[in-house]
Every structure is written in C-alpha cells, then in structure tokens.
C-alpha cells in the first residue's frame, strides 16, 4: 500500500527485526538516511539478472519508508517476474545494500592521543569524567547509542536546554585509562583491584625501578559493549610517594612518558586520571599531554574538570599558571582540549548558574561538556561498573558521549 508524500511515496512492507537493526546501524555509519539506503538497495536489486539467496524472513514485522515515485511499482514487477514475495524481495534488497556498503574502518590516529584529565581541586569528579569519556570512545561501533547533540551547552541564564538526542554508532577506539591518583578512585570505581604495595606499579616504572613489564599490570574492562577495547592501568597507593621519588630522577618531567611509551602502540587514546596536585607528578602528566612533533593541535592535551562554584575557579587559575610555567621552562606546547562543567545542578541557584555562565564566557578554552549531578553515576560507582554499561541511556551517559565526540 502506498500514499503520496511530495515527490516520494510512502510504502509499507515487512522486514525481520535483525535486518532492520543492521540497516539502521549501517546507514548511520555511512551518514545517510535509511530511506536512501533502501532506495539504493532496491535499485541495485532490480538491476540484477536474477534474485539472490533466500533470506529467512520469519518474524518480519511492519516496515515503512519513502521511495521515489514509481520505484515501488518497478520493484513489484521485478519481484513478480522472479517469483518472490515483496517481503523477500525487500529483504534481499536491503541485504544487497549491506553487502555492498561494508562498515567503514575505524579512523585511528597516527600518533596515540594523550588526554590528561586534571584539576588541582579534589572532588570535582575528574575520575567520573575520565571513565565516562574513555567508555564513550571505546563503545561498540556496530551498535547505536544515544548521544546528546548540543547546539548550545548553556543559555545565558545558565539553564541546560532540552536534550537533543540522536542515535549514533559507537566510536570503537582502543582506549587505555591510567589511574594516576594514589587514592585509586578510578581503579575502585571500575571494579578492579588496586596494585599491592611492594609489588610492581606505575610509580616504580616512573622512578626507574621496574619489577616487570608495565603491560602485565593492565587489565581489561570486561563489558560486552566495549568489546575488549577498554583497558585500565590500576593505581597503587605507593603513588603517594611519587613526588619524593621523582625528585631523584633525571628529566623527571618525562618520567610518565618513558613509562607509558611501550604501551602506546596498542591504543588509539590514553586518558590519565590525574591526582589533585600541583607537584612533580602533575608536571609529568602535563608534559605527557604536550603536543608532539608532527601532531596536530588539539589532538592531545588537558581536559580540565570543574564545578559551577567559586573554588573551582581558584583551582583553575593555579593549574593554568603551572602549565604556563612548563611552557616557558621547557618550551613545549600544552593544548587545552576544553573545560567540563561536572556535577551541575541549576536548582542550587544563583551560585551554580552564574558560575556556569562564567565558565562559558571564557571561550578559550571553551566549555566542551556539561554533566549533571544525577543518581546513575553514583549508582554505577556503588556497584563498581562503568556508567555506560550500567546506565547506557541515562542523561549522564548521553552527555559523556557528546563530550567524547567533542574531544575526539
């Protein structure tokens, strides 16, 4: 059955659910509308000399789309000539389009990207942003996930506008999360075990006293949606002594880079959850995130997590001053990837809304993420699971995906 709609006509048939889902994902991967994919598939199917292999259409349910005027009649005649049902012909057409439009390869950076998630102030949620961003970067590229496409992160009033959500394929990158904080929050939140005191650790490798291969300490975050693409280098409480140990190391600002260099070839992105510190360990993290020779601006650098309150602004000024000193002393470029305003709740009144507007007004670096203070993140921490696996459709998960795309 059909009805006119401008220069196209609406057609209604049936498709198996699995085939419909594959079509939705693949069309999104190629950035085209489903109706365009079906149109191309039907045109290609009608041009074939014979029908294709029979497709199991059991359980097919209603499927509607819009086709150019006359295409459905041509398709109906071709199906009749080949002695196949319209449902079977449509299924073959869709499968033909899928077979000739394979999933695109993941675009991988020539130089492993290094993102340091930082702020001298504790309690702003650096760990949650590190984990959420990494999870979003590693999500299944052959499935659709809700993403907030923010045309404007905050209006002049500081109110977050209605969510504009689009279902997009996951980014499918290979990601390493590095817990660089002796408090081990990232390690614990993701359900891993902190490394034992007296054993091997990132601290030992940075201090030039390794007890084995660093890669042997890396663990996989075993959730199906990440497909073994998301890994964690757990923390050890010996990192409380890192600044003392680094004071005796030559070229100590490069200590983190020397330690992580053997792992870089295995990953597209490495995110470092930094401690709330302005000491030597933060110098090493900042140096690791610097722009390397041959690397485009904005590929690596600092992602600064703040809250919409005054103490975050004070801490931000201390952090930027440290970066400026490093730029001057070491002649390096440290790019800001943006500011993330975390744990935002406009119900807290003028302090929250005016502070948010203050961050938005900075412009350079700009605000690239606004994440609400909602229960799902706290629940995920309690059950020690990644947010995007525990509550994949929550507003916080949707915001993390938007953030990942802002910095990817």
């Amino acid at each position: 059955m059909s009805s006119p709609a401008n220069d196209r006509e609406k057609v209604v048939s049936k498709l198996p659910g699995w085939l419909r889902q594959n079509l939705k994902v693949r069309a999104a991967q190629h950035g085209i509308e489903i109706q365009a994919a079906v149109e191309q598939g039907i045109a290609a199917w009608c041009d074939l000399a014979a029908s294709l292999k029979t497709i199991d259409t059991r359980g097919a349910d209603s499927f509607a789309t819009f086709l150019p005027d006359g295409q459905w009649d041509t398709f109906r005649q071709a199906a009749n000539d080949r002695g196949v049902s319209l449902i079977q012909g449509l299924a073959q057409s869709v499968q033909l389009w899928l077979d000739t439009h394979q999933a695109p390869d993941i675009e991988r950076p020539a130089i492993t990207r290094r993102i340091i998630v930082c702020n001298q102030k504790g309690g702003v949620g650096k760990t949650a942003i590190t984990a959420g961003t990494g999870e979003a970067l590693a999500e299944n590229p052959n499935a659709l996930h809700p993403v907030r496409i923010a045309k404007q992160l905050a209006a002049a009033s500081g109110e977050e506008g209605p969510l504009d959500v689009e279902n997009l394929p996951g980014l499918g990158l290979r990601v390493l999360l590095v817990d660089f904080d002796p408090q081990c929050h990232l390690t614990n939140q993701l359900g891993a075990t902190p490394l034992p005191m007296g054993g091997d650790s990132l601290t030992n490798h940075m201090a030039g006293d390794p007890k084995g291969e660093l890669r042997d300490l890396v663990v996989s975050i075993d959730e199906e949606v990440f497909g073994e693409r998301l890994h964690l280098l757990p923390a050890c409480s010996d990192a409380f002594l890192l600044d003392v140990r680094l004071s005796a190391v030559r070229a100590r600002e490069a200590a983190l880079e020397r330690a992580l260099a053997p792992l870089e070839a295995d990953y597209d992105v490495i995110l470092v959850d930094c401690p709330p510190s302005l000491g030597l360990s933060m110098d090493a993290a900042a140096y690791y995130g610097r722009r390397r020779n041959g690397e485009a601006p904005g590929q690596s650098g600092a992602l600064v997590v703040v809250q919409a309150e005054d103490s975050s602004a004070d801490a931000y000024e201390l952090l930027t001053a440290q970066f400026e000193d490093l730029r001057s002393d070491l002649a390096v470029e440290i790019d800001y990837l943006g500011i993330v305003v975390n744990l935002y709740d406009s119900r807290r009144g003028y302090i929250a809304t005016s502070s948010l507007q203050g961050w938005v007004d900075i412009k350079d670096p700009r605000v690239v993420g606004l994440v609400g203070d909602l229960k799902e993140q706290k629940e995920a921490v309690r059950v020690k699971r990644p947010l995007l696996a525990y509550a994949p459709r929550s507003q916080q998960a949707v915001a993390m995906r938007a953030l990942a795309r802002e910095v990817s």
Side-chain angles (χ1 to χ4, degrees):
M1 123 185 184
S2 64
S3 60
N6 298 327
D7 59 342
R8 304 177 78 90
E9 59 179 346
K10 181 179 180 180
V11 299
V12 180
S13 183
K14 291 185 175 182
L15 269 183
W18 62 268
L19 190 56
R20 182 204 309 265
Q21 182 63 21
N22 289 346
L23 173 64
K24 288 173 61 178
V25 172
R26 194 68 54 81
Q29 289 172 332
H30 286 276
I32 68 172
E33 294 184 356
I34 291 176
Q35 67 180 25
V38 175
E39 175 188 339
Q40 294 170 13
I42 287 177
W45 186 83
C46 290
D47 287 341
L48 294 176
S51 59
L52 300 174
K53 179 181 177 182
T54 299
I55 292 175
D56 185 355
T57 59
R58 287 175 297 180
D61 53 16
S62 181
F63 174 79
T65 189
F66 290 89
L67 299 175
D69 282 338
Q71 187 181 47
W72 189 250
D73 291 335
T74 301
F75 169 70
R76 190 195 307 270
Q77 184 61 51
N80 184 65
D81 292 344
R82 295 174 188 175
V84 300
S85 68
L86 293 178
I87 295 174
Q88 181 61 216
L90 180 60
Q92 290 183 13
S93 298
V94 170
Q95 188 60 56
L96 176 61
W97 185 85
L98 291 170
D99 291 342
T100 54
H101 293 77
Q102 295 295 315
D105 292 334
I106 302 298
E107 186 175 347
R108 306 196 183 282
I111 299 174
T112 299
R113 300 183 59 214
R114 299 147 336 273
I115 300 175
I116 58 169
V117 184
C118 53
N119 192 333
Q120 179 268 342
K121 184 179 184 297
V124 297
K126 294 186 295 294
T127 297
I129 297 301
T130 303
T133 305
E135 292 162 26
L137 290 169
E139 268 188 318
N140 185 359
N142 296 312
L144 299 180
H145 313 275
V147 181
R148 185 182 70 202
I149 307 301
K151 297 178 181 177
Q152 185 177 3
L153 285 172
S157 64
E159 292 289 341
E160 184 179 1
L163 294 180
D164 183 10
V165 175
E166 181 177 346
N167 289 318
L168 297 175
L171 296 173
L173 297 175
R174 302 167 301 179
V175 177
L176 175 65
L177 304 175
V178 177
D179 192 346
F180 196 43
D181 189 338
Q183 298 174 92
C184 306
H185 289 322
L186 180 61
T187 301
N188 289 321
Q189 284 188 20
L190 293 177
T193 302
L195 299 172
M197 294 287 288
D200 203 7
S201 66
L202 177 59
T203 298
N204 288 339
H205 285 257
M206 292 180 64
D209 186 26
K211 298 183 179 181
E213 296 292 329
L214 191 64
R215 70 179 62 255
D216 293 338
L217 305 178
V218 173
V219 298
S220 177
I221 304 302
D222 293 327
E223 295 279 357
E224 183 178 355
V225 69
F226 307 127
E228 299 184 357
R229 290 179 296 272
L230 183 63
H231 294 169
L232 168 71
L233 178 57
C236 176
S237 294
D238 67 357
F240 279 116
L241 303 174
L242 180 57
D243 280 7
V244 174
R245 297 182 69 179
L246 284 180
S247 64
V249 174
R250 295 184 61 184
R252 53 182 175 261
E253 68 279 353
L256 182 59
E257 181 163 295
R258 288 195 298 268
L260 294 179
L263 305 181
E264 289 185 3
D266 297 333
Y267 299 100
D268 301 309
V269 185
I270 295 178
L271 291 100
V272 180
D273 183 24
C274 296
S277 166
L278 293 177
L280 298 179
S281 56
M282 191 61 224
D283 281 351
Y287 185 84
Y288 185 59
R290 79 194 186 286
R291 190 192 312 164
R292 292 179 179 173
N293 291 336
E295 189 172 25
Q299 291 297 295
S300 297
L303 187 63
V304 184
V305 182
V306 301
Q307 288 184 356
E309 39 78 40
D310 294 339
S311 60
S312 276
D314 296 336
Y316 172 76
E317 291 180 2
L318 292 172
L319 181 69
T320 55
Q322 182 176 16
F323 284 178
E324 289 305 317
D325 287 344
L326 286 172
R327 286 192 178 104
S328 176
D329 294 344
L330 302 177
V332 296
E333 289 293 335
I334 303 172
D335 295 329
Y336 289 101
L337 302 182
I339 295 171
V340 181
V341 182
N342 191 31
L343 300 173
Y344 179 70
D345 186 349
S346 62
R347 294 174 301 178
R348 293 175 181 149
Y350 176 73
I351 294 296
T353 57
S354 61
S355 294
L356 173 60
Q357 189 59 51
W359 292 117
V360 172
D361 288 344
I362 290 178
K363 305 301 184 186
D364 185 19
R366 64 188 180 90
V367 172
V368 294
L370 179 63
V371 181
D373 186 7
L374 301 170
K375 65 182 179 63
E376 286 81 5
Q377 176 63 51
K378 299 179 180 68
E379 292 173 352
V381 170
R382 175 63 63 88
V383 299
K384 296 188 175 182
R385 288 189 65 196
L387 171 67
L388 273 65
Y390 171 75
R393 305 193 68 83
S394 65
Q395 289 188 26
Q396 287 167 316
V398 169
M400 293 296 186
R401 296 188 186 101
L403 172 59
R405 282 163 171 77
E406 286 284 347
V407 301
S408 65

